[in-house]
Amino acid sequence: MSVAASKDVDTSKGNASMAVSGTTPTKKSPKRDFLHQPWVRTALPFVNGGLAGMTATTVIQPIDMVKVRLQLAGEGAKTGPRPTPLQVTRDIIKAGKVMDLYTGLSAGLLRQAVYTTARLGFFDTFMGSLAVRAKESGRQVGFAERAGAGLAAGGLAAMVGNPADLALIRMQSDGLKPKEARANYKSVVDALTRIAKSEGITSLWAGAYPTIVRAMALNFGQLAFFSEAKQQLKNRSNFSSQTQTLAASAIAGFFASFFSLPFDFVKTRLQKQQKTLDGKLPYRGMMHCFGKVAKEEGLLRFYRGFGTYYVRIAPHA
């Protein structure tokens, strides 16, 4: 038998075998092909990160609302009220309804979508450049370089997301004003439009400096202490890998909260403030706010609501 004839016989046998077994030649799934498109693979981390951040925001929005109200309580008075998170929650519900705890959710979702996407984008860009440079030098990207990329990405993303952050604070603090003085923002778009129209578009970046420093301090606490805590737990304990991760997250969340809360406090004060009847603002900037609060309210005021803030931050660590 010739080689060609042999091939024909083998092919016919193969086809016959497939026909008997009921199988058909495999075809690539269109869905699988779509998910493996280069642009889809590039976009997926941003989409997943944004959706994850928005889901987390939806869950912790009531905690964030209570945190903001705690930071604004007793403003300008050293012996002012010292409400507990439970008292604040009860007052919010008593003054309106349970869903008032979700005031500003649209701004929180926009802020998370913008901040998370921008942070991932900047971080990916920075890491790409660092990887190329490291490869040329015949080494790997080190921890210090990764940390620097994370800090820079967090700071830049915070600046991009500041308008949504400001709208969130304005919407959450609006209920503290007398009814006749409230803005009663309908949504984040309504808040941004009205603030820009009445105070100028640059006012949307009020509190940008402490927002940026807060993001960098938060990332520093998460990056540095999570890695260190997990390594120490691995060397000094018999905990399972999952327990080590959870414990390291709790430790990193504590230090991230400790380093970033004073800046978060000042950010809230600066973004909430509006001009008084004489046309002046209570705080001229970040350093003036730090000095004025320390003098009038005491240094410990910067850490008011630490427990609430920790509960909000720790899961992200």
Side-chain angles (χ1 to χ4, degrees):
M1 183 182 291
S2 66
V3 175
S6 177
K7 287 184 177 180
D8 289 341
V9 172
D10 291 340
T11 302
S12 63
K13 285 181 179 179
N15 291 336
S17 176
M18 292 172 64
V20 171
S21 63
T23 58
T24 56
T26 57
K27 294 182 179 179
K28 291 183 179 179
S29 169
K31 185 176 181 180
R32 183 181 177 87
D33 285 346
F34 173 77
L35 292 176
H36 284 76
Q37 293 292 330
W39 68 272
V40 175
R41 292 174 66 87
T42 301
L44 273 178
F46 300 95
V47 175
N48 290 337
L51 290 176
M54 293 169 75
T55 301
T57 294
T58 303
V59 173
I60 66 172
Q61 182 67 16
I63 300 174
D64 191 68
M65 176 71 167
V66 172
K67 184 267 298 182
V68 169
R69 291 294 180 88
L70 284 171
Q71 290 176 332
L72 296 175
E75 185 174 4
K78 194 168 189 175
T79 57
R82 300 179 62 182
T84 64
L86 188 60
Q87 288 174 329
V88 171
T89 303
R90 189 165 52 239
D91 290 342
I92 292 172
I93 296 174
K94 185 178 179 180
K97 51 189 177 181
V98 175
M99 291 308 295
D100 284 351
L101 291 168
Y102 280 89
T103 299
L105 179 60
S106 61
L109 292 174
L110 176 62
R111 187 258 180 195
Q112 195 60 244
V114 173
Y115 174 74
T116 303
T117 304
R119 184 176 61 173
L120 286 171
F122 285 129
F123 184 74
D124 188 59
T125 301
F126 296 153
M127 286 301 295
S129 299
L130 289 172
V132 171
R133 191 183 307 170
K135 188 176 181 180
E136 291 175 349
S137 303
R139 58 181 179 81
Q140 294 183 336
V141 178
F143 172 77
E145 291 173 309
R146 286 196 302 272
L151 292 174
L156 289 171
M159 184 173 66
V160 174
N162 197 79
D165 212 342
L166 181 136
L168 173 62
I169 298 299
R170 291 290 182 91
M171 295 174 78
Q172 290 178 324
S173 63
D174 198 44
L176 295 173
K177 300 176 183 177
K179 288 188 176 181
E180 63 276 8
R182 294 176 187 175
N184 295 318
Y185 301 112
K186 298 181 179 67
S187 67
V188 61
V189 176
D190 179 47
L192 291 172
T193 303
R194 289 166 61 183
I195 293 170
K197 186 176 180 180
S198 61
E199 302 174 37
I201 196 166
T202 56
S203 66
L204 296 177
W205 274 269
Y209 287 138
T211 301
I212 292 170
V213 179
R214 170 192 175 275
M216 296 177 73
L218 201 60
N219 282 323
F220 170 74
Q222 290 174 342
L223 286 169
F225 288 94
F226 177 80
S227 299
E228 182 63 25
K230 192 167 184 181
Q231 186 61 47
Q232 291 297 330
L233 287 169
K234 185 177 180 180
N235 295 338
R236 300 169 182 269
S237 73
N238 295 320
F239 296 150
S240 65
S241 178
Q242 184 177 12
T243 303
Q244 289 175 9
T245 300
L246 291 173
S249 295
I251 295 170
F254 174 84
F255 284 102
S257 300
F258 178 80
F259 287 123
S260 64
L261 182 54
F263 298 103
D264 184 85
F265 180 94
V266 171
K267 172 189 79 70
T268 298
R269 290 287 180 93
L270 290 177
Q271 291 178 335
K272 174 258 181 184
Q273 71 172 349
Q274 291 178 281
K275 290 182 179 179
T276 55
L277 294 176
D278 60 1
K280 295 182 180 179
L281 291 170
Y283 309 107
R284 295 193 298 271
M286 182 173 72
M287 297 311 297
H288 180 246
C289 183
F290 266 116
K292 189 173 181 179
V293 171
K295 183 179 179 180
E296 296 180 355
E297 304 175 42
L299 289 173
L300 290 178
R301 185 62 61 91
F302 293 112
Y303 284 96
R304 172 175 281 181
F306 180 84
T308 305
Y309 187 67
Y310 174 74
V311 172
R312 179 188 181 280
I313 294 298
H316 294 281

